[in-house]
Amino acid sequence: MMTGLFANSTLFVKTRDAKGYAAAMKDMCGTMNGQTVQGFTYQTSYASAAKKVEGVTVDEWSLKMEPDPNDPAAAQAMMAMSAIFGPEGGFNGYIAPAESGLVFTYAKNDQLLGQALAAAKGGGLGADAGVKAVGAALPSDRTLEGYIGIGQILDMVMGFAAMMGGPAPNVEIPDDLPPIGMGASTHSGGARMVVFAPTRVLTTIQQLVKEAQQGADGNPGNPAGQPRF
């Protein structure tokens, strides 16, 4: 949680022109660098062929938004960005060519990039039974899709509760808990977004909430009744 929500996130872009897409990304970073928009100054960088990971030559990129230090809300904005992006306060990752497209990471994590490249070859994320089942419920004409591994997030929440000294919820998170899926289709200048949460995810979250409420009551078996005042 302290390393940023995007630290373990990857993006796969399907394109027939991976080099052209990377070049456009490099041009965008060059154009944005130093620009100020709505009180935020963008600091961007792009380095082509910066290093090799898993035998693949990769580019490095970064994007950081710095709020106006004179803005009274600047401190809160920096805290929010640290929670989302990690201590560096912005994106700082790799771009690597893969089969049928490009793989992006939002942190300079060689292991994560290697796993993403392996997944792009097949037998990875797209082969997961839970992802397939959730994907089937998304729009068939979607132009983008994303999946949130809710099981890992719930495990993290339970571990964090135990670390803080609270009672650990008596709920078992299934190893094969499917993700929450999101898909968007675009047409005629508009977009339609669909979010699909499987029933197993909803019931697991419901059990966790119920356990948390019972723990707060202190005596789940006997309701406290009306206060004595």
Side-chain angles (χ1 to χ4, degrees), residues 16-195:
R16 296 179 181 178
D17 185 9
K19 290 184 178 179
Y21 196 103
M25 182 73 181
K26 183 176 182 178
D27 290 342
M28 183 189 72
C29 285
T31 302
M32 290 180 63
N33 190 40
Q35 296 289 330
T36 300
V37 180
Q38 295 184 350
F40 285 88
T41 300
Y42 289 83
Q43 302 294 336
T44 60
S45 67
Y46 195 104
S48 301
K51 63 181 297 184
K52 281 193 174 183
V53 178
E54 301 288 337
V56 178
T57 301
V58 304
D59 300 347
E60 293 182 353
W61 72 290
S62 67
L63 187 154
K64 185 176 182 180
M65 298 176 291
E66 297 182 348
D68 183 352
N70 297 318
D71 188 336
Q76 288 131 341
M78 290 299 294
M79 288 178 61
M81 287 191 290
S82 294
I84 297 173
F85 305 119
E88 295 186 2
F91 296 124
N92 192 9
Y94 298 132
I95 299 178
E99 292 187 16
S100 303
L102 289 168
V103 168
F104 288 67
T105 67
Y106 296 97
K108 290 183 179 178
N109 185 328
D110 292 16
Q111 182 180 4
L112 178 64
L113 178 61
Q115 293 172 338
L117 289 171
K121 294 179 181 179
L125 180 65
D128 180 79
V131 171
K132 284 184 176 180
V134 173
L138 299 178
S140 59
D141 61 343
R142 58 189 180 273
T143 54
L144 63 90
E145 60 188 313
Y147 300 90
I148 301 174
I150 194 68
Q152 292 83 355
I153 294 176
L154 295 179
D155 281 335
M156 181 179 67
V157 170
M158 292 177 66
F160 185 73
M163 183 179 68
M164 298 301 292
N170 187 25
V171 176
E172 183 177 352
I173 308 299
D175 292 335
D176 61 344
L177 191 68
I180 292 176
M182 298 170 288
S185 56
T186 55
H187 188 266
S188 301
R192 171 175 172 260
M193 172 69 78
V194 172
V195 178

